[in-house]
Amino acid sequence: MIFKQRFVKSLSLALCLGAAMASPQVLAKTFRVAVGDGAGGTQHELGKAFSEQLKERTGGKHDTQLFLNGQLGDEQATVNDASMGLLDFSILAINNVTPFSPSVGVLTLPYMVHSLDDAVTLTQGEVGQQLVDNTIRDAGVRIVGWAYSGFRVLTNSSRPVSSLNDLDGLKIRVPNNEIMIDTYRAWGINPTPMAWSETFTGLQMGVVDGQDNPYITVSAMKFDEVQKYITNIRYLFSIEPLIMSEAVFQEQPEDVQQAILAAGKAATEHSAQWLVAQEERIKSELVSNGMEISEPANGEKEWMDKAVSQVWPKYYDLVGGKDKLNQILQSLGRDTL
């Protein structure tokens, strides 16, 4: 009987110790963060800023480990993994969230965002909170921060491009995103959807002639080694969210949840400042490395007219309806449809 009582007490103590050791309030945790891009890019910068802020706000108890260059899978795969609680965080292009939560597609409508200020207004205001809530509901992941990468410029290895006619015959890589695919179709070409992890090799081997991404991404991914010409189009401002598994978020105690949200907000503010500080320098470096920059003809009017008139109506329902889109335009101080 005494042995049995001792055994029960010992077992209870072991279970309590095990529970304490498993408690997120007691144990420090290093969260895994998937990063699609390489070192030196906007995604990497956001990840570093978030890591520093989280460590500071949790007194060093919580940190992150960044896995660059898609080491943990392609960007869409990381959304799946995060939704199932198999991955803590991912930093990825917004177009790779759209298949899981369609309303965020409003940020990829061509010529929706005209400036960094527009991007900040949309992501940090009422629209941004609605997108956060929708993404939790639809995809089981929570957007806790945003990286601002600038406008996606067109690069290619064949010739200078300034007009839509110059695109004729070029094979352009795009993400597997219907809005972006339809934008190129509106411009008169049929683009080639290709996974991000395959893009550099595809450009290098001539499978595709070109692609579009912000200057900072072009530099970080060393596309200047396989591309010669840049067209300074401004059809899509690249916004890259930091998503977290909602299941993992809910496992955290309240103080850690608040630290995560505060760290994400601080990292977001840092991203905007970093873009302003770095973009012109990186643009100059790409020119120094031999790339040539062309401006689109007629102030990009033909590009804009065709994209907006042909693409926007097709996606009214996807982004919440025409009335919702008008609310978003009003928040940007623009004319409604």
Side-chain angles (χ1 to χ4, degrees):
M1 183 71 174
I2 294 174
F3 172 79
K4 184 176 181 182
Q5 289 174 339
R6 286 177 178 172
F7 174 77
V8 170
K9 288 180 180 179
S10 298
L11 179 60
S12 299
L13 178 61
L15 290 173
C16 290
L17 287 173
M21 291 177 67
S23 170
Q25 294 177 307
V26 176
L27 272 187
K29 179 174 176 62
T30 298
F31 294 104
R32 295 191 309 152
V33 184
V35 183
D37 288 352
T42 309
Q43 292 185 1
H44 185 213
E45 189 66 22
L46 181 75
K48 289 191 300 179
F50 177 77
S51 298
E52 292 168 3
Q53 288 288 328
L54 182 63
K55 194 170 184 179
E56 178 183 329
R57 293 169 187 275
T58 59
K61 289 183 179 180
H62 297 279
D63 200 353
T64 68
Q65 183 177 2
L66 305 180
F67 293 85
L68 304 177
N69 290 309
Q71 294 178 62
L72 300 185
D74 67 55
E75 291 190 349
Q76 288 194 16
T78 66
V79 181
N80 266 324
D81 288 346
S83 71
M84 294 186 289
L86 303 176
L87 176 66
D88 301 316
F89 292 91
S90 179
I91 306 173
L92 68 168
I94 192 70
N95 51 271
N96 285 314
V97 180
T98 305
F100 304 91
S101 187
S103 66
V104 300
V106 70
L107 299 177
T108 66
L109 286 177
Y111 301 101
M112 168 58 70
V113 178
H114 290 179
S115 65
L116 173 59
D117 286 344
D118 280 358
V120 170
T121 296
L122 289 179
T123 55
Q124 297 303 299
E126 181 181 350
V127 172
Q129 186 56 54
Q130 290 173 357
L131 296 180
V132 170
D133 295 341
N134 292 348
T135 305
I136 294 171
R137 178 197 67 204
D138 299 337
V141 298
R142 175 183 293 261
I143 299 171
V144 298
W146 304 86
Y148 305 112
S149 295
F151 289 102
R152 295 177 74 112
V153 297
L154 176 66
T155 72
N156 82 92
S157 58
S158 298
R159 57 179 178 266
V161 170
S162 61
S163 70
L164 294 183
N165 288 337
D166 295 331
L167 288 174
D168 188 42
L170 292 180
K171 294 174 290 185
I172 305 297
R173 175 268 173 187
V174 294
N176 189 20
N177 176 273
E178 289 301 321
I179 295 176
M180 298 173 74
I181 291 170
D182 282 339
T183 298
Y184 275 91
R185 287 174 176 163
W187 290 337
I189 67 170
N190 194 31
T192 303
M194 181 179 289
W196 182 231
S197 58
E198 300 170 3
T199 300
F200 185 93
T201 302
L203 294 168
Q204 187 177 45
M205 301 300 293
V207 177
V208 288
D209 301 307
Q211 60 85 51
D212 68 59
N213 261 292
Y215 283 107
I216 290 172
T217 306
V218 171
S219 174
M221 299 305 293
K222 302 186 184 304
F223 285 157
D224 54 298
E225 296 179 1
V226 291
Q227 300 278 269
K228 174 70 173 176
Y229 304 100
I230 297 174
T231 307
N232 195 36
I233 57 175
R234 299 166 68 84
Y235 86 105
L236 181 59
F237 192 99
S238 189
I239 300 173
E240 302 175 276
L242 167 62
I243 64 169
M244 181 180 188
S245 167
E246 181 64 9
V248 174
F249 181 81
Q250 293 300 334
E251 289 173 357
Q252 309 308 311
E254 176 68 21
D255 61 328
V256 176
Q257 290 182 352
Q258 293 305 311
I260 288 169
L261 297 177
K265 181 174 177 59
T268 298
E269 293 171 356
H270 172 78
S271 179
Q273 296 165 1
W274 190 80
L275 173 63
V276 172
Q278 299 296 322
E279 189 172 46
E280 285 304 313
R281 177 187 62 80
I282 288 173
K283 183 177 176 180
S284 297
E285 286 181 358
L286 292 172
V287 172
S288 297
N289 292 343
M291 299 194 80
E292 299 179 8
I293 299 177
S294 298
E295 295 295 331
N298 299 318
E300 209 169 336
K301 185 178 186 306
E302 185 182 15
W303 302 68
M304 182 183 296
D305 289 347
K306 289 197 172 184
V308 172
S309 65
Q310 295 183 37
V311 177
W312 280 34
K314 187 174 179 180
Y315 292 96
Y316 288 159
D317 290 342
L318 182 77
V319 302
K322 193 172 180 180
D323 288 343
K324 173 62 67 176
L325 196 52
N326 278 331
Q327 291 175 11
I328 294 170
L329 291 172
Q330 286 178 330
S331 74
L332 296 173
R334 304 229 292 271
D335 293 336
T336 56
L337 300 169

